[in-house]
Amino acid sequence: MFDYDLFVIGAGSGGVRAARISAQLGAKVAIAEEFRFGGTCVIRGCVPKKLLVYASKFSTAFADAKGFGWTVGESAFDWRALIAAKDAEIDRLEGIYRTNLERAGVAIHAQRARLTDSHTVELADGTRFTAKHILIATGGRPFLPDIPGVEHGITSNEIFDLKQLPERVLLVGGGYIACEFAGILNGLGAKVTLLNRRPAILRGFDEEIATHVLDALKARGIDFIGNTEVARIEGGTPEHTVHLSDGQTLQAGLVVFATGRVPNTGGLGLDAAGVRLAAGGAIAVDAYSQTGVPSVYAVGDVTDRLQLTPVAIREGQAFAETVFGGRPTRADHATVATAVFTQPEIGTVGLTEAEAAAQGEVEVYTAAFRPMDHILAGRNERMLMKLLVAREARTVLGCHIAGPNAGEMIQSVGIAVKMGATKEDFDATVAVHPTAAEELVTMKTPTRIVGCSAVQAAAGG
Ligand code: FAD
């Protein structure tokens, strides 16, 4: 007899969903959390970040208001007030997560946990529990480069609790977290430098969209240094001196490393349980999130499939349905729409232009224009929309949007793309006017054709 049917380690997006649904399906469930309930997304990820994005947009809104006849008085921003408001909201959400677990009958252990064998979990206070199934949902953590003085920098974990916003900030990295924070801190009034070891930003996203956003970030006053790394940091007050690989030095009151995230597997007792890691350090699982050890499953960022909250939730749900619902269910990782809350924002689903072109001949439709509200505001920033269409099959393989509300738009486009809609299905849809989104159904002529036909591909052309 086991103490529990399921013991979940980690109460983030994936773990909470799996625990709650499993309990609702009749399982006796326990969960252990070493930090705060809700995990990265709620406590120091998506949610607080989006709140900060909202806050940062007021500076452009105040500036734009003049063009619409408004006179806005002198404005001032109070970082502490924002952080206090954000903290109150995060406390509220954490409470909801806890209550929902309790209501579902899940036993809560607010402690670190590790495995001692394939059916046993040990808490930090030494208590041990046995479980028929163990689910590892411990997420990821920021990766820090091994450079002298790295301790003078912080990561996205600490940024949400800063006591004040320094005048000059260096953001290291070119991924979505670095780029989002560049926009946030710039909007809140800091002088931001974004530094990346690559010449561009947002690797993995459509290149044209990434270039468009980088140009917009620069136009909004963010300095970008590409092809460069931090060599060492000399700590100082009020500013640190940052030595770069190209010999330059920079002064910054805050250095933020957004240099990737790695799966949280340290000290989990995986060896004791016989759980294997994949090459990149993530827990290796099959399509049902089962590890090589039949009683041990893993979901979310610790498995490094797609590091997104809704994906972790889907994996947690699929786990519960498979193990306790009698319905073997795979989480579907194909054609997942996602947003990047840079300023301008990105919404994206499906293949990038390069990926689509590698599969065959593709019609690329693009529309670049000034959104309507930018015109009276006197804002020159343009919106960019792209549709990638398989030339023969006519299917829309990808859609990429950079501009206001792109994240909101892509959710609906994602349904059409996931369903396999063709360009002609898009064209048959009557436009919603006047919106920016209407461009998605009114792009008539391809801007270019890329990729090679099946015949050329077969001939190696
Ligand atoms: P997590 O949510 O990280 O939860 C893991 C939990 O396990 C944590 O609470 C941790 O404390 C706990 N834990 C770890 N080890 C132990 C242990 N041994 N014992 C007990 N508890 C343990 N995704 C989006 O979809 N959209 C976004 O806009 C977005 N923005 C983001 C912004 C930032 C700054 C960051 C860092 C991430 C963002 N993400 C976003 C990614 C998203 O937060 C993650 O994909 C998601 O939280 C993963 O869920 P998870 O359940 O795998 O892990």
Side-chain angles (χ1 to χ4, degrees), residues 8-16 32-47 49-50 109 111-114 137-142 156-157 159-160 176-177 180-181 261 264-268 299-303 306-313 315 338-341:
V8 179
I9 305 180
S13 309
V16 167
E33 170 53 53
E34 67 171 344
F35 182 53
R36 293 183 64 184
F37 288 77
T40 304
C41 169
V42 177
I43 308 297
R44 47 196 182 186
C46 334
V47 176
K49 170 198 79 185
K50 190 83 188 283
H109 300 283
Q111 298 186 51
R112 184 169 171 79
R114 67 181 184 99
T138 50
R141 61 186 164 77
S156 64
N157 277 355
I159 204 164
F160 296 109
Y176 82 92
I177 294 176
E180 289 177 337
F181 273 106
R261 291 178 64 81
N264 229 342
T265 53
L268 263 183
V299 295
D301 285 6
V302 76
T303 62
L306 273 179
Q307 294 189 12
L308 292 169
T309 285
V311 173
I313 292 174
E315 290 168 1
T338 186
V340 177
F341 297 98

Side-chain angles (χ1 to χ4, degrees), residues 19-20 23-24 95-108:
R20 204 165 51 75
Q24 284 167 359
I96 293 173
Y97 270 79
R98 247 193 121 113
T99 310
N100 286 345
L101 284 168
E102 283 163 356
R103 278 207 192 118
V106 175
I108 290 180

